Amino acid sequence: MSPIKGPGEAQTHDGSGLRVAIIHARWNATIIDQLVAGAKKSLLAGGVTEENITVETVPGSYELPFGVQRLYAASQVQASSTGEGISATDLLSASTSDLSKAPTSSPKKPFDAIIAIGVLIKGATMHFEYIADAVSHGLMRVQLDSGVPVIFGLLTVLTEEQGLERAGLGSSGMHNHGEDWGSAAVELGVKRREWS
Ligand code: DLZ
């Protein structure tokens, strides 16, 4: 019988052509580092190459939506300035002087998916509730506004132990949730291309 919880039966997708960014907060580093490692492991297992994985950081989870938005926009600018997106027809019809202005560096395409990772641990004040709510809405907004899948790697835990468990560092044998986020990024990156 399939487990009740979790993403169901594993799907296999070929992520070999994908470019993926992981952006993570630096608060609660022990848990974060493990989640990032898990996400990266799944990306590599899904066929994404090391050079197509970019890892960036922000101070805390609150900065994640802004970080995702700017990172994606920068990758689009980078892609247009390196010639990615210029069609073969455009290239054929370009004059010699056009081509001499063309960039020589290897083209980098925009990210196909971005994984946002943060760990919010509830404290004594309302801080946790405000940040969790703002970040959740911010990440949803940026993915719908930009059209790039943003994988929700935000742990909102009541205790440090709950965070350690979900990073695969606890005693209960719970798996590293970062691995799920890496697989989700490969799946959504591939499906986004199919659905374009
Ligand atoms: C300030 C703060 C607190 C108290 N707790 C966390 C946390 O548990 N996890 C996290 O990622 N960030 C935390 N931060 C930092 C905020 O997310 C943010 O970086 C600062 O308020 C600056 O905008």
Side-chain angles (χ1 to χ4, degrees):
M1 199 171 82
S2 320
I4 294 169
K5 272 189 154 184
E9 209 161 290
Q11 293 190 2
T12 311
H13 299 278
D14 177 11
S16 57
L18 300 181
R19 189 168 176 232
V20 179
I22 297 172
I23 180 163
H24 68 84
R26 297 192 298 273
W27 271 71
N28 308 307
T30 306
I31 303 170
I32 286 280
D33 290 350
Q34 192 69 7
L35 293 167
V36 170
K40 212 172 157 190
K41 181 178 152 196
S42 280
L43 291 176
L44 292 168
V48 184
T49 58
E50 183 84 44
E51 66 269 21
N52 277 333
I53 301 174
T54 296
V55 180
E56 277 289 347
T57 78
V58 287
S61 295
Y62 189 73
E63 285 72 45
L64 284 171
F66 178 77
V68 169
Q69 191 211 48
R70 298 319 306 158
L71 203 53
Y72 183 61
S75 78
Q76 287 183 303
V77 170
Q78 193 184 26
S80 59
S81 70
T82 54
E84 182 72 11
I86 294 180
S87 70
T89 323
D90 287 346
L91 273 176
L92 284 173
S93 62
S95 68
T96 315
S97 62
D98 287 334
L99 288 174
S100 68
K101 285 184 223 138
T104 48
S105 57
S106 66
K108 286 246 185 216
K109 54 193 168 60
F111 292 114
D112 296 288
I114 300 182
I115 306 172
I117 298 179
V119 176
L120 286 169
I121 302 178
K122 189 168 168 59
T125 67
M126 289 296 288
H127 192 265
F128 170 89
E129 281 80 359
Y130 282 109
I131 296 195
D133 190 59
V135 175
S136 308
H137 285 104
L139 292 177
M140 178 57 82
R141 197 179 118 195
V142 74
Q143 77 166 338
L144 294 180
D145 286 353
S146 68
V148 71
V150 177
I151 305 304
F152 186 72
L154 182 70
L155 291 185
T156 52
V157 292
L158 303 180
T159 63
E160 198 176 300
E161 288 66 39
Q162 287 184 348
L164 290 166
E165 289 289 349
R166 282 153 185 78
L169 294 171
S171 52
S172 72
M174 200 181 274
H175 75 285
N176 181 348
H177 285 38
E179 293 174 17
D180 301 339
W181 305 334
S183 310
V186 172
E187 177 174 344
L188 266 294
V190 168
K191 287 184 173 172
R192 177 205 187 204
R193 286 189 179 185
E194 290 169 5
W195 295 337
S196 291

